[in-house]
Each structure stands twice: as C-alpha cells, then as structure tokens.
Amino acid sequence: RSGLLALTEAWFAFLTNRRADLETWLDVADSLGHEGPMPDGSASLEVATAVVKMLAGVGGIPASAHYARLVHEAGPQGSPWWGLASGIEAVADHMLGLIADVREPLRAAEFESRGLHASHATTCAHLGFTELRYGNTIAGLALVDEALNEIAEASLVDFSLVGMVFCVAAYSNAVRGDHARSVEMSEHARTLVAQVTD
C-alpha cells in the first residue's frame, strides 16, 4: 500500500540485479503513487521512479532518453539525480542518432554531475572516449585518468555501474601503447559488466 516502499524495493532489486522484481516493484510504485516530495529530494514519485527506469534501461534506449529528460527537466531543486540524467540523456540521444557530435552536451553533463562521483566519472569517461575518437588525444587521456582517479578516491572501483569507465580505460591505455595496463582494465571491466547481465 506504499508507493514509497515499493520504490525502495525497486531500487533494491536494481542494485541486486533482479530484473523481474525490479519491473514488478516499479509497476506497484506507479499504481500506488505517493503524495508530495520524496525523501531523497525528488519532487515527486514520478521523477523518482524515472531515475530507476533511466538507470536500469527499462524500455531500451528511447525510453531511457525519455526518463533522463524527465529527471533533467526537474532541475537541481526537483531531483538530486538531474546531473546524472544530463549525461545519460546526451549519450542516449547520441546512440539514437539525434546528436551528431555529443561533446558539447557531455561537457554540460560533466559540469552538472560534479559531486556525484559515479555519475561524474562515467560522464568524464564518455567524454574522454569521444575526445579520443575525434583525435584529441591529450584531452581524452586526461579525462579518462580523471574518471579513474575519482572512482578510486570514492572507493567505487568495484561498483558495477562504473564498469564502462574501465572499458574506456582499456581503450585509452591501448592508445597510450600500454598493453599490460589495457588488459588489466579490460579484465576488470569484464568482471563488473558480468554483475549486471540483465
């Protein structure tokens, strides 16, 4: 009978990689609703559930872009996740072919996600990879190093949702010509990605 408790169960299912339970609890939360702002600072249950749906990729990339926009449009006063949403929105729109050059939206997302370690590191890694692909080697390598340093300092090295940082780090070390470090980053990325098979 509590939309708030159902959302809490959805978060738990998401973080423990139980996709069927996640979608069940999200449906329950949506059907029950919740009056007023959420304990995490989100303006409404709709915004708070959109965060989980966005992170879990519920409905695929188009839906993730939609949920990211909903969270981002809530602004910093309407969701503590708005900076994270900015980065996800940029990447999803790029994957959908809506943005040809994703660097500018990622630069905005990098600024907006400062202070949210996993989100900021992931955004830096996306931006670093993009810079490397455009041939901006020095800027790209610096951004990837920044992402790695941030997750190390925040003790997030084994957090599954930063797996893509290590994917990009494998690539950046290959660009540097450091084969051993590239393999090390790749192996760690595989370990993290394996934790979120759903």
Side-chain angles (χ1 to χ4, degrees):
R1 291 176 293 184
S2 167
L4 179 58
L5 186 55
L7 176 61
T8 304
E9 288 283 2
W11 267 109
F12 183 58
F14 170 61
L15 294 170
T16 53
N17 198 31
R18 292 178 292 115
R19 186 63 175 220
D21 289 346
L22 165 71
E23 296 193 9
T24 297
W25 284 114
L26 284 171
D27 288 343
V28 172
D30 285 340
S31 69
L32 293 172
H34 177 80
E35 290 297 321
M38 304 298 287
D40 73 347
S42 294
S44 66
L45 180 69
E46 180 187 18
V47 173
T49 56
V51 172
V52 184
K53 293 173 184 177
M54 167 187 78
L55 287 172
V58 173
I61 295 170
S64 291
H66 165 73
Y67 295 128
R69 269 188 281 287
L70 194 152
V71 175
H72 190 233
E73 287 169 1
Q77 303 305 315
S79 175
W81 306 93
W82 77 288
L84 165 66
S86 179
I88 292 176
E89 181 181 3
V91 171
D93 283 348
H94 181 61
M95 293 173 77
L96 292 168
L98 302 176
I99 301 173
D101 186 347
V102 73
R103 288 176 293 177
E104 205 50 50
L106 281 176
R107 287 183 188 119
E110 182 275 325
F111 179 79
E112 292 170 357
S113 63
R114 291 177 185 178
L116 302 168
H117 299 299
S119 305
H120 185 256
T122 302
T123 302
C124 283
H126 275 296
L127 182 55
F129 179 71
T130 304
E131 293 289 7
L132 289 169
R133 299 288 289 174
Y134 272 89
N136 301 324
T137 307
I138 293 172
L141 293 176
L143 283 159
V144 178
D145 288 344
E146 180 180 349
L148 285 170
N149 290 336
E150 183 164 13
I151 59 176
E153 289 171 9
S155 300
L156 294 171
V157 174
D158 294 318
F159 183 44
S160 60
L161 297 183
V162 298
M164 66 78 53
V165 173
F166 290 94
C167 294
V168 174
Y171 180 80
S172 69
N173 279 287
V175 169
R176 278 192 172 102
D178 189 339
H179 176 74
R181 182 82 167 144
S182 180
V183 169
E184 177 189 342
M185 294 291 104
S186 178
E187 288 174 353
H188 191 63
R190 290 171 200 267
T191 300
L192 296 182
V193 170
Q195 296 173 22
V196 286
T197 51
D198 283 342

